Every structure is written in structure tokens, then in C-alpha cells.
Amino acid sequence: MDQWEENLQRWLESEKLEKPLAQELHGLVKKFDQNKKELEERFYKDLEFETGGLRGLLGAGTNRLNIHTVKRTTQGLCDYITEDLNQTADLTPPSVAIGYDSRINSRLFAESAASVFAANGIKTYFYEEICPVPAVSFAVRKYGCIMGVMITASHNPAEYNGYKVYEKHGHQITDTEAKRILRRIVEIDMFSGVSYLHFEEAKKTPYFVFLGKEAIEAYEKSTVETLRTLTEDRPFQIDAENEAKTAQQKMLSFLKVAYSPLHGAGNKPVQEILKRLGLPVENLFLVHRQEKPDGNFPTCPYPNPEKDEAMSLVTALAEKTRADVAIATDPDCDRMGVVIKRENGQYRRLSGNEAGLLMLEFLLRKREEKNRCLTAKQPVIARTIVTSALADRIAEHFGAAIKTTPTGFKYIGELIDTLTEGEQEKEFLFGFEESCGYLAGTSVCEKDGALASALICLAAAEAKAEGITLEERLAALYEKYGYAAHRTLDFGFSGIAGKKRMEVIFESFTETGTCLSKNESGKVKVAAESGAYFNGQRESWAGQSIKEILDYRSGIGTLPPLKVLEYRLTGGAGFLVRPSGTEPKLKIYISVYGRQPKEAEMLAEALAEDVRSYINKYEKEKKPI
């Protein structure tokens, strides 16, 4: 009997197996031959606990997210807190904050986690209603929690859910912490090694506190204060008698905004933050079909604001209402997508890079207008390695420091820690990633879709007051700093065979000839004079010769080892290759920099087509695994 079959048998025989999961398994086992591959997928391994925690398909099995995998993971966190962090309830019990979004079983999994924490003497601050991811980060910091948990799968399709873990500073756990927690988890028996109470019992213990509306309101207020501090010329004050308004409020009063929460947790916070900043209620138009929380995502099966399909309804609403800007936040409200009205009255979606560059330049310009660059700490800008390097030029112009991090917003959170604890002469201003994640200030330590929604609206309001569109602002930015064209390609792979296939294709990008040599810094340089070739024959992509290949797997500079390859080409072009850390996908990030937009866009598209053809051909040939 194979290991997966032994795992399956143990689940079927367990008296502690939850009834709905037992029924699901028995239904599959009844037609064993027909469902054998499916059952193997569910039981051939444990659902992997990585840097972001857990993320996987819902259902019964060790390789699925369900109440048992959630409880086991939570018990691992409890053991880590009490043993590794030496936090016990001798005087004051250690505490965690728990939040959840609108996904299927999110509330159930949150309750299950709280029940395990309570049974282990760890206090839980439990959000009474669905909340954005950044609200958990805020609660961890506000209530002095040792850790935090958010039940969500971010922008994944409805059949997924996840379990994000945060450390005491409010950002997702580090690589080192993840490994230590994993060591605790693997020691725990799924059914007999977990201590837990029924949720109704847990609520009656001193280890449980509901976080009501006041907690969300505190997060909203903190977000508004952060934005005002970073962007207003003077402290915010309203005279109750004459309702004196700041210039910023006056500009917002003329802005028209279309918004969709994509059936998720951003609806109330985004509306409240915009209202507090001064956007009139009548100027905010909601996509009512996507307003109510619904984990099935009936109007957008893939609720990712990076994609046109997720932005289609809010774009249609913007066209109908002639809104200046349309925004959408993903189900857990940590990402934000933007559609802008063009100079010709039509609409187009901004890429994550474009929106980030606009917000970055807006924040730095506002800071300079307030003369803070002359009197305060040096502002720090952070971007991930796959995010537009044009940010570096903008930061340099304003005298800001730029920090480049690995992919994953937790690394930007870690950076905030280092600035707080070490580099006292610097302060974090803004960080972003090309996948529509943004953070300004330090009221939270996680990307924040609600804050980003308000920030892009402030930038749009300023542009409108000056008689231009955000597209014109972006064009001026490109004119000043140079043009950047970007493409992100996703190639999906599912199941055991799919994962192996993805690994084979990734490794194919590392195949090099004898004319390539690796130096001490981890770079793989191309010796052009020796007739360099790639995969036995390739020496260029889309007609651009390979200048050098950077292999991040052994670490480059201050970056830790990363499963990333970077190809630097002639013509100001290049691309990075990496497997996604949250989805079964291989991702290619293409960048082209130059002064002529048309040429840059054409080259970016040519590179994208060349990479697609390479991978599609590789898949068609089905080279052996």
C-alpha cells in the first residue's frame, strides 16, 4: 500500500474525522477506480506550510485546507509560541489576533483556530465580522499580540482558502520563523495531537475577546491619519460652524469614483476611509452586484484585480457614471486594481507598476512641497525585484533611498522593522509590488488595498484639479524619467504531474552551454565573443542578445537565496522567471526601458510572444519528466 493510501485509510478510520469531511471521502471511495487520481492528490503529502502560511484547495485530505489541517497548524503555532518564544500564561497570557474574509469556511476556520488557542491558554482578539488583511496587522500592533492569523486565500478562485500567519510587528512571518513553526507542526498528529475546545466554550474563557466595530473604526481612523500626514499641507481641522475644508477635501469633492469590493471584505472600510477624507457619498458609485460578501464569487470566478475580467463590471460602471477613476479590491482587501479615464474619455486599466509609480511620485512630491526632505529623516522606498526599476529613478530624483526586496510583501514588512530598530536616520514612506500591492506609512505592516484605494483617489483628485487625467500625469512621468513597458505572464500547472512539469520547465531556463560561467556573486555571465547559446542553441530572445543571466538561487548581494532567474538583454530589456509562492503557476516578468514608448511596447510584446512560444512548444512536445 502506498503512503497516500495509508493516509487515506487512517482518515477513514478516525473517529474524530468531521462528519462532512467523512461523507465527502466516502463518496469518493465508493468509486475508487474513477477517483483514484483525485484521492492521491488529496493524500500524497501534507498541505505545505510555507512563508505565507497555508494555501490550498478546500476539501478532505492532508493536502487540502479543512478544519483538521487548520487545527493542526494552530496547535503548531501554540507550541511555537510557548516553547520557541517562551511565552506562557504565568502572568499575562500571550495573545493573537484573528481575522477572516468572505471566503467559503473562513469564519469556521477562524473559530477553529480560536478554539485551539483558547485550549492552549493563548488569548485571542477575534474580529466579529469579516475584515481586511491589514486590519489584522493593525490589531497585532495595537493590542501587543505575539502573532496574528488571517483566514483567506487572497485573490485565488472560490475553491481555495488559506491561513496567513503574522509575527509581532504585524507583517507575515519570516523564512526562519516559518521553518521553526513547520518543525512544530510536523510533530503533531492530525487527530490525537491537538488540544481544542468547542467554540462556544472558548468564548466563555478568559482567553477570548471579540473585536467589534470599534476595532475596525480604529484601523480606518489610523489609515486616514496616515494619509493626511503624508499628503496634506497642514493639519486637518474642521470648524463645526463653517465646515472649513482643506484644499485636499475640496479637490476630492469634485472627484467621481466607481468601486467594487469583488464580494469581499473591503466594502465598508474603503467607503468609510474615502468618506472621512472628504469624498462626497453621492460621488462614490458601487457595483451592487459585487457589493455583498460571497465566497462563491458569482460575478468574477477569479477575483484578482490584476486581471481585466475582475475589473470588467467596475469599468462598465465607470463608463456609465463617467467616473474619473474606478477601483476594485480583492476579497481580503490587500490588493487594489485601478481603471482610469483617459484624455479621450475612454477607460483603461493601469498595471500594478503604473499605479505604484503614480502613487510613489505623488507621495514624494507632496513630501517635497512640505519641505520635509530638508528637515526630516530620509524617506525610504521599497520595491520587490520583479517590480518596475523606474521607481529607482523617481526615488533618486527626490533624494529618497531605494530598497529592493525578494518577491512577497512580507519582505517589505521586515524592512520596516530594520528601519525602526537600526537605521534611525531613515523612515519608510512607500512600498509596492507589481501584483497590485501597496503600502504608505507604517500604521500597518502589510499591503493595504483600502489605503491604496484612497491614495490613488487623492492623486486623481489633484490631477483633475489641475485639469489633467492620471494618464497625462503618467505620460509626464515617463517623459521625465524614461519609459517602461511591462508584461507579466502566468502559466498554470495543476496536480502532482503539473507541479513536476513546472519544475522541469523552470529548470530548462537554467540549462546553459560551456560558454557560460558562474562568478562568485552568483551571476551567470554570457561570453558573447565565444558564441554564447541558450538551451543548446538560443543566444537571444525576440532578437535581443543575452547580456547576462543572474541566478538568485545562491543569493545575490544582500538578497537571500531565491528561486528566481533573471535574463538581462540588449535594448534595455529583460525578464525574470520564478514559480509563484501562492499559486501553481510559473510567472515571467518582462521589462523594457527606453525613451520611445512605441518601440518599448513593441519589444515587450515581442518578448512576451517569444516566451509564450517557448513554453507552449515545450509543453506540446511534452519532454520527459
Side-chain angles (χ1 to χ4, degrees):
M1 183 180 291
D2 291 336
Q3 184 62 52
W4 72 266
E5 291 178 290
E6 292 181 11
N7 292 338
L8 168 62
Q9 193 63 33
R10 187 163 181 274
W11 272 55
L12 291 172
E13 294 173 355
S14 174
E15 295 179 354
K16 293 186 177 181
L17 180 62
E18 289 285 317
K19 187 175 180 180
L21 297 176
Q23 292 173 339
E24 181 181 336
L25 280 184
H26 283 292
L28 290 169
V29 171
K30 281 183 179 179
K31 298 181 179 180
F32 184 84
D33 291 339
Q34 179 179 330
N35 297 317
K36 184 177 180 179
K37 184 177 180 181
E38 167 70 14
L39 288 166
E40 182 181 3
E41 292 277 1
R42 289 170 177 251
F43 286 96
Y44 83 99
K45 67 172 184 175
D46 287 347
L47 187 61
E48 295 177 6
F49 183 90
E50 299 177 312
T51 303
L54 298 174
R55 186 174 300 190
L57 292 166
L58 292 164
T62 58
N63 189 34
R64 293 291 185 267
L65 198 75
N66 52 66
I67 197 169
H68 296 294
T69 51
V70 165
K71 285 181 176 179
R72 183 193 191 206
T73 299
T74 307
Q75 184 63 57
L77 284 183
C78 292
D79 295 345
Y80 173 74
I81 290 170
T82 56
E83 300 296 331
D84 294 71
L85 300 182
N86 197 28
Q87 298 285 320
T88 63
D90 293 340
L91 296 175
T92 302
S95 61
V96 298
I98 297 182
Y100 54 96
D101 66 3
S102 61
R103 284 184 173 273
I104 297 169
N105 288 341
S106 280
R107 171 77 185 214
L108 172 64
F109 295 157
E111 291 179 354
S112 300
S115 299
V116 175
F117 282 126
N120 283 269
I122 297 173
K123 187 175 183 178
T124 295
Y125 291 94
F126 189 95
Y127 274 102
E128 200 164 9
E129 297 181 352
I130 62 172
C131 70
V133 161
V136 171
S137 175
F138 178 80
V140 168
R141 293 157 73 87
K142 178 178 176 61
Y143 299 107
C145 298
I146 194 70
M147 302 198 84
V149 171
M150 177 72 185
I151 306 298
T152 178
S154 191
H155 57 281
N156 284 63
E159 57 267 27
Y160 285 81
N161 211 330
Y163 186 110
K164 289 183 179 180
V165 183
Y166 292 80
E167 52 87 80
K168 64 180 181 180
H169 296 101
H171 60 72
Q172 290 187 50
I173 52 175
T174 65
D175 296 329
T176 300
E177 286 174 307
K179 291 176 182 177
R180 289 175 178 170
I181 293 169
L182 178 59
R183 283 201 295 266
R184 293 293 178 182
I185 294 172
V186 297
E187 295 174 353
I188 298 167
D189 184 272
M190 187 79 70
F191 297 111
S192 62
V194 179
S195 298
Y196 66 94
L197 302 171
H198 291 294
F199 184 62
E200 292 303 317
E201 296 177 24
K203 289 193 298 183
K204 298 174 184 178
T205 70
Y207 303 116
F208 187 91
V209 177
F210 267 127
L211 294 180
K213 293 181 179 180
E214 73 287 345
I216 285 289
E217 289 173 356
Y219 154 70
E220 294 165 350
K221 181 180 179 182
S222 176
T223 302
V224 171
E225 289 175 348
T226 295
L227 289 169
R228 286 172 177 160
T229 299
L230 295 176
T231 63
E232 286 196 350
D233 294 332
R234 62 184 176 84
F236 175 82
Q237 290 181 339
I238 292 183
D239 187 306
E241 294 183 3
N242 59 28
E243 295 185 345
K245 295 183 177 180
T246 64
Q248 190 176 89
Q249 282 184 298
K250 291 178 181 178
M251 288 189 293
L252 275 172
S253 67
F254 294 102
L255 190 73
K256 296 174 69 175
V257 180
Y259 170 61
S260 171
L262 297 179
H263 300 291
N267 190 26
K268 293 180 181 179
V270 169
Q271 288 194 64
E272 184 60 29
I273 289 168
L274 288 173
K275 177 182 175 183
R276 284 173 177 261
L277 285 170
L279 184 75
V281 175
E282 61 271 20
N283 285 11
L284 181 61
F285 306 96
L286 295 177
V287 179
H288 294 298
R289 289 176 59 194
Q290 297 177 330
E291 183 179 3
K292 293 183 179 180
D294 189 338
N296 291 299
F297 310 123
T299 65
C300 51
Y302 187 27
N304 183 356
E306 297 177 72
K307 306 299 182 182
D308 288 332
E309 53 265 36
M311 301 294 293
S312 61
L313 290 184
V314 76
T315 302
L317 180 60
E319 292 170 345
K320 180 179 179 181
T321 59
R322 304 312 299 163
D324 301 293
V325 62
I327 51 180
T329 51
D330 66 345
D332 62 352
C333 195
D334 63 353
R335 300 175 191 239
M336 183 269 307
V338 186
V339 169
I340 59 171
K341 184 163 67 174
R342 310 182 68 175
E343 188 178 1
N344 62 6
Q346 300 300 307
Y347 290 82
R348 80 168 179 92
R349 181 176 62 83
L350 292 177
S351 70
N353 280 314
E354 290 173 326
L357 293 173
L358 282 168
M359 288 186 275
L360 167 63
E361 192 272 344
F362 175 71
L363 285 170
L364 286 169
R365 185 160 39 79
K366 286 301 178 183
R367 184 184 180 94
E368 185 174 72
E369 289 171 3
K370 297 170 72 169
N371 294 320
R372 292 188 63 190
C373 287
L374 302 177
T375 60
K377 300 176 181 179
Q378 183 184 26
V380 172
I381 307 304
R383 67 171 179 88
T384 65
I385 59 172
V386 299
T387 301
S388 179
L390 199 60
D392 302 9
R393 301 180 190 177
I394 298 173
E396 182 180 358
H397 173 80
F398 286 96
I402 188 76
K403 301 281 188 178
T404 306
T405 73
T407 304
F409 215 88
K410 79 175 191 68
Y411 293 104
I412 295 178
E414 286 185 68
L415 171 64
I416 295 174
D417 287 351
T418 64
L419 295 177
T420 302
E421 299 172 0
E423 301 185 63
Q424 300 295 333
E425 75 284 359
K426 298 179 180 180
E427 64 180 356
F428 178 82
L429 178 65
F430 185 67
F432 74 111
E433 56 186 1
E434 53 74 41
S435 55
C436 298
Y438 317 96
L439 174 64
T442 57
S443 59
V444 300
C445 229
E446 172 66 289
K447 56 183 177 284
D448 189 337
L451 180 149
S453 296
L455 184 56
I456 197 69
C457 285
L458 291 173
E462 181 198 55
K464 186 174 184 179
E466 295 176 5
I468 62 174
T469 64
L470 279 181
E471 184 174 52
E472 291 172 282
R473 178 79 79 196
L474 186 63
L477 186 152
Y478 284 144
E479 180 68 25
K480 185 173 184 178
Y481 299 103
Y483 192 81
H486 300 285
R487 301 287 189 277
T488 301
L489 309 180
D490 298 338
F491 299 91
F493 301 86
S494 61
I496 301 172
K499 185 174 182 179
K500 290 180 179 179
R501 178 66 57 187
M502 182 172 70
E503 290 294 325
V504 168
I505 294 177
F506 176 80
E507 288 299 324
S508 78
F509 280 93
T510 73
E511 295 171 9
T512 57
T514 56
C515 56
L516 302 181
S517 61
K518 188 171 183 178
N519 64 21
E520 293 179 359
S521 68
K523 294 181 180 180
V524 181
K525 291 191 173 182
V526 177
E529 65 277 5
S530 62
Y533 61 90
F534 177 81
N535 285 348
Q537 57 184 350
R538 182 184 288 272
E539 60 181 11
S540 66
W541 289 88
Q544 306 302 303
S545 299
I546 300 172
K547 293 169 62 178
E548 63 177 351
I549 306 171
L550 278 66
D551 189 343
Y552 288 78
R553 291 176 297 175
S554 55
I556 292 180
T558 60
L559 294 173
L562 306 169
K563 197 167 186 178
V564 176
L565 297 168
E566 179 180 357
Y567 288 80
R568 293 182 176 177
L569 314 175
T570 56
F575 63 90
L576 290 92
V577 185
R578 65 175 280 269
S580 171
T582 58
E583 299 174 277
K585 290 182 176 181
L586 186 68
K587 305 194 79 171
I588 314 289
Y589 305 85
I590 294 169
S591 298
V592 178
Y593 300 96
R595 283 290 174 185
Q596 300 300 322
K598 184 176 180 180
E599 286 78 359
E601 289 291 344
M602 288 177 62
L603 179 53
E605 192 56 44
L607 270 173
E609 184 57 34
D610 202 1
V611 172
R612 286 192 197 98
S613 296
Y614 171 77
I615 292 181
N616 289 339
K617 182 180 179 181
Y618 202 98
E619 274 292 271
K620 186 177 181 180
E621 292 176 358
K622 288 294 181 184
K623 295 183 180 180
I625 296 176

